[in-house]
Amino acid sequence: MFVEDAILRVIARRTLRNFWESSPAYADTITPLTEWYRHMEKADYRTPQEIKAELRSASILKNCRVVFNIAGNKYRVVLAIDYERQIAYVRFVGTHAQYDNINPESI
């Protein structure tokens, strides 16, 4: 059962901050990751289709995973979303090249 008027709770912003603080090369992600996070924490996505309808560049994967392109697809964020409870877990944040070395459906 869905909670009325729920917003998506994204866990954890610290993962995003750890990424941009991990290297001066990633300093360009501060603004786009912060804007993405703020958008997501106000969102009320009940299905993967609702995400795709609003964010056309998002990729819907198996195991409730969604991949978001950040900063013109230079970076990627993978969320595992529990749509019923409106909780999203940041499972990965990294460059496009780093993303190519993971299995986003099981991370």
Side-chain angles (χ1 to χ4, degrees):
M1 177 179 216
F2 291 118
V3 178
E4 291 296 318
D5 299 322
I7 58 170
L8 189 64
R9 181 171 175 217
V10 180
I11 302 172
R13 185 172 190 264
R14 179 179 27 183
T15 304
L16 305 176
R17 185 178 18 208
N18 288 345
F19 177 73
W20 73 59
E21 290 177 350
S22 69
S23 169
Y26 303 145
D28 64 334
T29 65
I30 295 171
T31 298
L33 284 173
T34 300
E35 289 174 356
W36 172 84
Y37 180 85
R38 287 181 181 153
H39 172 84
M40 295 306 292
E41 71 179 353
K42 294 176 185 172
D44 180 19
Y45 298 121
R46 301 300 178 159
T47 66
Q49 294 77 16
E50 288 181 7
I51 293 174
K52 189 69 176 173
E54 185 173 329
L55 303 171
R56 309 272 304 146
S57 66
S59 298
I60 308 302
L61 306 178
K62 295 177 185 173
N63 296 328
C64 297
R65 302 297 198 272
V66 182
V67 180
F68 297 91
N69 299 319
I70 306 295
N73 203 23
K74 185 175 178 183
Y75 301 97
R76 296 220 166 151
V77 173
V78 177
L79 285 186
I81 302 176
D82 180 333
Y83 294 95
E84 187 173 329
R85 296 190 314 179
Q86 288 292 283
I87 299 173
Y89 302 91
V90 176
R91 304 299 298 158
F92 171 84
V93 57
T95 66
H96 194 118
Q98 291 166 337
Y99 172 85
D100 289 340
N101 292 316
I102 67 162
N103 181 346
E105 293 176 352
S106 65
I107 194 165

